[in-house]
Amino acid sequence: QAQLVESGGGLVQAGGSLRLSCAASGRTISSYAMGWFRQAPGKEREVVAAISRSGGSTYAADSVKGRFTISRDNAKNTVYLQMNSLKPEDTAIYYCAAKWDYSGRYYTKKYEYSSWGQGTQVTVSS
């Protein structure tokens, strides 16, 4: 399984931007569909964005569509989440996840993913 390490979280004012990175080691991520999830205190972990192995297909949750963009650089074994126009309700721990994939699609359910990072805190102040 791939080992995943997130970075790039922090404290930002509403309307600001952050770019999260997820660096993989142990295996090349080109065989994995990747996803970003988040979990706010007292809430379930929810999908934010997902991307297919090649990067040709992407998904963004309605709550972040038009503000967040997922991308990947397989040569660097890294997945990114560009977050713009951040809102206080985006405050959460953000997790990167990987799923070994043969189909070339993306996945949006947390039970579909087998590898998870430790998470990075994003706090958006009003």
Side-chain angles (χ1 to χ4, degrees):
Q1 291 187 344
Q3 287 77 51
L4 307 174
V5 178
E6 302 95 336
S7 62
L11 173 63
V12 63
Q13 288 189 329
S17 298
L18 284 173
R19 188 176 82 155
L20 305 184
S21 298
C22 171
S25 61
R27 288 182 179 267
T28 174
I29 64 167
S30 60
S31 297
Y32 290 82
M34 303 293 294
W36 284 99
F37 290 74
R38 68 185 181 187
Q39 188 165 17
K43 294 190 176 181
E44 293 287 324
R45 189 171 299 190
E46 63 177 4
V47 65
V48 175
I51 191 166
S52 62
R53 285 187 307 170
S54 68
S57 297
T58 61
Y59 166 88
D62 287 344
S63 58
V64 305
K65 199 169 293 182
R67 300 188 298 122
F68 291 12
T69 302
I70 188 171
S71 62
R72 63 192 298 159
D73 185 338
N74 287 344
K76 294 184 178 180
N77 242 23
T78 302
V79 178
Y80 305 98
L81 184 68
Q82 178 66 44
M83 305 187 295
N84 299 328
S85 302
L86 281 160
K87 304 176 181 180
E89 51 264 44
D90 295 319
T91 295
I93 300 175
Y94 283 70
Y95 297 90
C96 175
K99 173 185 168 43
W100 184 271
D101 177 61
Y102 295 96
S103 70
R105 54 168 285 208
Y106 58 74
Y107 298 83
T108 62
K109 304 293 191 293
K110 54 182 183 286
Y111 67 81
E112 295 175 308
Y113 288 86
S114 56
S115 298
W116 292 84
Q118 83 291 346
T120 185
Q121 177 71 47
V122 171
T123 303
V124 184
S125 63
S126 58

